[in-house]
Amino acid sequence: MSMLVLYASKHGSTQGIAERIAVTLTAAGQRVAVRPVQDAGAIDGYDAFVIGSAVYMGHWLKPAAEFVASHRELLATRPVWLFSSGPLGTEPTDAEGKDLREASEPKETAELLAAVHPRQHRGFFGALDPSSLTLPEKALRRLPAARAIMPAGDFRDWADIEQWAKDIAEELTTGTAGEAAR
Ligand SMILES: Cc1cc2nc3c(=O)[nH]c(=O)nc-3n(C[C@H](O)[C@H](O)[C@H](O)COP(=O)(O)O)c2cc1C
């Protein structure tokens, strides 16, 4: 299988997740290219796709959302896995006990699922390096409401990320990935 892993990342942590997914898929025997979604180029030669974006203010980054929308016809005919990189911190659940990775789903989730019928949409914990933030981001982070949900640190769960990529490779190898999930 020839796979393309695409990502939209503002400060680099989603890029890191995409690269780890690509390395894991390659180790599992897939032919994999990984690049920013803005540099996707011609995509019709690929058999399967993994597309991910960081979540900011409840939304996927625009280039990723636009890419999925504008390539929806081709993507809907191939196995696609989506991921979002968002929640921060070491708590797995929010105040109401909901899995944080689900609570942080981007607002366009329903739209993304309807557009390309992905095999799965997974949320991963992200990372925040305060020194890399823009001035408006720093100001936002100082707000009392933001402080608790935007701790500094690298919360990416590499074992979780690698397991997800291994599951994708397994699904492609056993041939079940060709069937649309929805
Ligand atoms: C200004 C700002 C807004 C954010 N908004 C959200 C959000 O709405 N939901 C969420 O889950 N994570 C949010 N995050 C956390 C980021 O998604 C997380 O840090 C992610 O790993 C960043 O990815 P990147 O380094 O690839 O840009 C926000 C972070 C910043 C700095």
Side-chain angles (χ1 to χ4, degrees):
M1 281 270 187
S2 175
M3 297 193 67
L4 183 58
V5 179
L6 297 169
Y7 60 86
S9 179
K10 198 167 172 189
H11 294 299
S13 57
T14 310
Q15 176 176 354
I17 293 172
E19 286 169 350
R20 185 66 67 95
I21 289 169
V23 165
T24 310
L25 287 166
T26 304
Q30 307 296 328
R31 250 180 311 128
V32 186
V34 56
R35 56 181 80 113
V37 72
Q38 296 94 315
D39 302 335
I43 64 162
D44 51 347
Y46 293 95
D47 302 307
F49 298 85
V50 177
I51 306 168
S53 174
V55 179
Y56 281 88
M57 310 306 288
H59 291 277
W60 257 27
L61 292 171
K62 227 174 179 178
E66 285 179 355
F67 177 86
V68 170
S70 62
H71 293 87
R72 57 186 297 161
E73 280 179 24
L74 182 135
L75 293 172
T77 66
R78 314 272 159 100
V80 175
W81 285 263
L82 302 179
F83 73 90
S84 297
S85 146
L88 301 166
T90 52
E91 291 300 321
T93 53
D94 67 10
E96 280 128 41
K98 190 167 180 201
D99 187 313
L100 256 187
R101 293 168 304 180
E102 289 171 26
S104 305
E105 271 192 349
K107 294 196 169 61
E108 43 283 290
T109 297
E111 216 172 296
L112 293 167
L113 298 186
V116 298
H117 305 290
R119 304 295 301 171
Q120 209 184 1
H121 174 211
R122 269 294 306 269
F124 291 117
F125 279 84
L128 188 148
D129 171 6
S131 68
S132 76
L133 298 183
T134 62
L135 285 177
E137 287 173 343
K138 283 181 179 159
L140 180 85
R141 201 164 162 259
R142 279 194 289 270
L143 296 174
R147 213 166 292 157
I149 56 169
M150 292 172 75
D154 188 344
F155 307 101
R156 289 172 294 181
D157 182 341
W158 296 115
D160 193 26
I161 292 161
E162 285 176 9
Q163 189 55 55
W164 192 63
K166 282 180 191 163
D167 290 346
I168 291 174
E170 168 80 18
E171 214 172 317
L172 286 168
T173 310
T174 56
T176 49
E179 302 152 21
R182 288 170 200 87

